[in-house]
Amino acid sequence: MKPSTIAIDGPAASGKSTIGYHLSQYLDYLYLDTGVLYRAVTWAAINRHIATDDEAAITQLARRLNVEVLAPTIDDSRQYTVCIAEQDITWAIRSAEVTGNVSQVSAYPGVRDALTQRMRQIARAGQVIMVGRDIGTVVLPDADLKLYIVATPEERAHRRYLEMREQGKDVTYEEVLASIRRRDELDSSRAAAPLRAAEDAVTVDTTACSIEEMLHMVERIVDNPPPPGSIVTN
Ligand code: DC
């Protein structure tokens, strides 16, 4: 039997969103990239001039904010559409300002509680692929299959750099690598639900893979899951 609830975690730019989206198409499952919820709260805080170090106000905001994640409404390479009060913020939540502040916002335990509850509601119906940092460890500890996607910081920076250049962004490889290292450090050292592999996760090392190889590798894993705790490389 195919796993019904699939948790995918890993550091920034490890390939987890590409993998999650691909598997959702492959299996015809619902896909939720949970980083979007943390980014939407961060975007709304900036937009409403709430200081991102005001933990109480940000926590209130996370509890009240109605973030909608819908199937793509525009054909512009997006995997989903994100809305707040009917405003399309799909690309706005990818800005450097949101990216620079989201680790701080996502470290607040009250914010994590509010968003974790929402994620669990969404997963209740099954046939879902959820991507994030703590899905296998905290959000869905009973997931049928847990994948932990890794790649070296240099490889991840290289991928993100190419992606950003393609989008016309003016960045250097060194800046991208520094930003990735900073986020790795913040995401894995925070007290609340730090980034780490669940003990029963299958670790997938994508460092030496092309995108096609990576996607074939995870298709094989969902078709025939290896034992929990194993490490799969190309
Ligand atoms: O995957 P991403 O870059 O869009 O995630 C944005 C931020 O949200 C990232 O700094 C870590 C945080 N995050 C989290 O703490 N837990 C999740 N389940 C998903 C994202």
Side-chain angles (χ1 to χ4, degrees):
M1 227 178 46
K2 290 234 161 88
S4 175
T5 327
I6 303 180
I8 305 181
D9 295 296
S14 55
K16 60 188 189 306
S17 311
T18 307
I19 289 173
Y21 181 69
H22 177 78
L23 288 179
S24 74
Q25 305 284 301
Y26 181 62
L27 297 167
D28 196 19
Y29 281 12
L30 181 71
Y31 169 60
L32 182 67
D33 177 0
T34 61
V36 158
L37 301 180
Y38 291 99
R39 285 176 180 272
V41 172
T42 307
W43 177 86
I46 294 168
N47 207 247
R48 293 169 197 200
H49 306 291
I50 301 172
T52 49
D53 58 4
D54 186 343
E55 182 170 352
I58 300 274
T59 304
Q60 274 301 323
L61 179 67
R63 289 201 186 115
R64 279 203 228 116
L65 198 66
N66 186 18
V67 184
E68 288 183 290
V69 186
L70 315 164
T73 51
I74 300 174
D75 184 13
D76 62 356
S77 85
R78 62 179 62 188
Q79 297 171 335
Y80 40 73
T81 291
V82 187
C83 289
I84 290 179
E86 287 174 34
Q87 184 179 354
D88 184 339
I89 57 165
T90 312
W91 295 116
I93 61 172
R94 300 280 151 200
S95 72
E97 196 180 9
V98 170
T99 303
N101 285 284
V102 67
S103 287
Q104 183 181 20
V105 167
S106 65
Y108 296 143
V111 171
R112 302 203 70 81
D113 268 2
L115 299 186
T116 296
Q117 281 179 33
R118 237 171 271 174
M119 293 169 202
R120 288 183 182 148
Q121 265 166 12
I122 293 169
R124 208 165 284 157
Q127 301 212 320
V128 65
I129 300 189
M130 217 169 259
V131 171
R133 301 289 191 292
D134 62 339
I135 309 303
T137 50
V138 174
V139 180
L140 304 174
D142 298 326
D144 301 319
L145 176 65
K146 299 178 185 179
L147 302 181
Y148 191 73
I149 316 297
V150 297
T152 61
E154 291 76 14
E155 174 59 23
R156 290 185 280 128
H158 181 66
R159 291 178 193 166
R160 186 52 55 89
Y161 169 72
L162 293 180
E163 194 180 289
M164 291 173 88
R165 293 301 292 235
E166 220 166 85
Q167 293 167 353
K169 292 188 179 149
D170 183 24
V171 286
T172 65
Y173 167 78
E174 285 70 26
E175 284 165 352
V176 178
L177 179 61
S179 154
I180 280 191
R181 284 193 196 282
R182 194 163 53 243
R183 281 219 285 154
D184 280 359
E185 171 61 25
L186 289 169
D187 292 343
S188 34
S189 64
R190 69 174 176 230
L195 170 68
R196 63 178 178 79
E199 266 173 33
D200 52 352
V202 173
T203 297
V204 182
D205 188 340
T206 69
T207 304
C209 295
S210 66
I211 291 185
E212 288 71 26
E213 287 165 342
M214 173 174 96
L215 299 180
H216 274 129
M217 190 155 79
V218 292
E219 283 177 7
R220 287 197 302 270
I221 293 174
V222 294
D223 286 340
N224 195 1
S230 38
I231 300 175
V232 181
T233 50
N234 197 27

